[in-house]
Amino acid sequence: MGKILITGANGGVGTGIRPYLRKNNALVLLGRRPMEELSDNETQVIGDVCDRDVMHKAMEGCDRLILLAASYDFNISFEETLDVNYRATISAMDSAVTHGVKSVVFASSNHGWGFHEKASAPLPNTAPPRPDGWYGISKIWGEAVMAYYADADGITTSSLRIGNTDTVVHDERRTHMWMSLRDMAGLTETCLSRRDGHHDAFFATVDGDAPYFDNSGVAAQGYVPRDAPQNHISPEFNPQTDAHDRIGGAYVAANMFRKRKL
């Protein structure tokens, strides 16, 4: 059994997909805080993803990598994204090359396309980026890094443009871009099995009403989702739609016609 290193393992996505991934994989969990309820298939490395020594220690013996660690917020500044979203991504990929990692999944985001109008949906994978803030910009850059390492070093890389992944659908916006944590884990595992030495980027969502994104890239990976948003509506569901006509939701509202931080 090979090992998968997960950065940002104690974040929402990492915590949510771990129970599914650890059934068939050994996991190394890298995060700043101790993680509770580790299974027999999990070990943790506590440290900063920006520390290259910590990254190398965590990567030892791993053949696959999931990059979840990220700094994000509605109106995050460019400076606030530099260490984790930029420098730590490069550190992780350099370490992956050193340790012979074969396949990497990078958590990209719908916010790289948040300023697209809803009327243009569903957006194809080839839609040009229209980021709704510095967080989205960092994710577009991260996809370029994944493509570079695939071409330069032969590592198979997959960028999953996550809409929303959770156990339930909390509001109207997320009905258009949701994927269950079970399906996110299954899709991630499917992508990690690739060994073609190329980069692929696509929207990681499932079929719902009036989707914002074309999710044909999921099918192209050979993964068939099991959960649909209409079957997982939260009891506290908020049916209110966004007041503006853009896909990015609150990120758009925070960054449109405002003085932005650098």
Side-chain angles (χ1 to χ4, degrees):
M1 179 187 294
K3 290 197 295 185
I4 302 172
L5 171 61
I6 305 177
T7 71
N10 47 9
V13 177
T15 301
I17 66 176
R18 277 172 47 203
Y20 303 101
L21 292 176
R22 67 192 179 203
K23 293 177 181 178
N24 301 309
N25 304 279
L27 305 181
V28 178
L29 312 174
L30 174 56
R32 293 179 177 178
R33 305 183 306 276
M35 284 156 266
E36 299 178 356
E37 300 180 2
L38 297 180
S39 77
D40 293 339
N41 280 354
E42 294 177 313
T43 58
Q44 63 178 325
V45 175
I46 301 172
D48 192 336
V49 294
C50 299
D51 187 324
R52 286 181 176 267
D53 291 337
V54 169
M55 188 65 70
H56 279 294
K57 176 184 177 182
M59 199 80 71
E60 290 179 2
C62 295
D63 59 349
R64 290 158 291 168
L65 169 64
I66 303 172
L67 292 172
L68 299 180
S71 294
Y72 64 94
D73 201 352
F74 299 128
N75 60 351
I76 196 169
S77 71
F78 175 65
E79 289 291 337
E80 289 169 324
T81 65
L82 278 176
D83 284 342
V84 177
N85 299 15
Y86 290 86
R87 295 188 178 98
T89 299
I90 295 297
S91 175
M93 293 306 293
D94 281 346
S95 184
V97 172
T98 299
H99 291 275
V101 167
K102 303 301 182 183
S103 188
V104 177
V105 164
F106 172 68
S108 186
S109 173
N110 71 92
H111 291 292
W113 289 260
F115 262 118
H116 277 280
E117 293 83 1
K118 294 175 185 176
S120 62
L123 297 181
N125 291 335
T126 54
R130 292 183 65 180
D132 53 27
W134 290 114
Y135 168 66
I137 290 170
S138 74
K139 290 301 184 179
I140 295 166
W141 178 86
E143 290 193 15
V145 171
M146 295 303 112
Y148 172 65
Y149 276 85
D151 288 338
D153 297 288
I155 297 178
T156 301
T157 56
S158 304
S159 294
L160 309 189
R161 297 168 182 168
I162 299 172
N164 171 250
T165 183
D166 206 337
T167 53
V168 295
V169 182
H170 292 281
D171 55 41
E172 190 275 339
R173 178 176 177 269
R174 283 178 261 204
T175 63
H176 306 290
M177 58 174 65
W178 183 83
M179 175 177 274
S180 71
L181 289 164
R182 175 171 71 161
D183 280 329
M184 185 59 64
L187 175 61
T188 298
E189 195 167 15
T190 297
C191 290
L192 287 174
S193 69
R194 292 178 51 220
R195 293 292 187 273
D196 57 24
H198 296 112
H199 174 247
D200 199 3
F202 56 93
F203 293 109
T205 64
V206 299
D207 290 330
D209 294 335
Y212 286 163
F213 306 106
D214 175 1
N215 66 0
S216 58
V218 174
Q221 303 300 314
Y223 183 74
V224 179
R226 293 178 285 179
D227 301 314
Q230 59 268 26
N231 299 328
H232 294 271
I233 300 297
S234 168
E236 291 81 32
F237 179 78
N238 179 3
Q240 183 175 351
T241 59
D242 295 323
H244 52 75
D245 63 350
R246 307 300 175 99
I247 284 175
Y251 282 72
V252 170
N255 289 284
M256 184 179 285
F257 307 127
R258 297 187 182 188
K259 184 177 180 180
R260 284 167 289 283
K261 297 183 293 183
L262 295 178

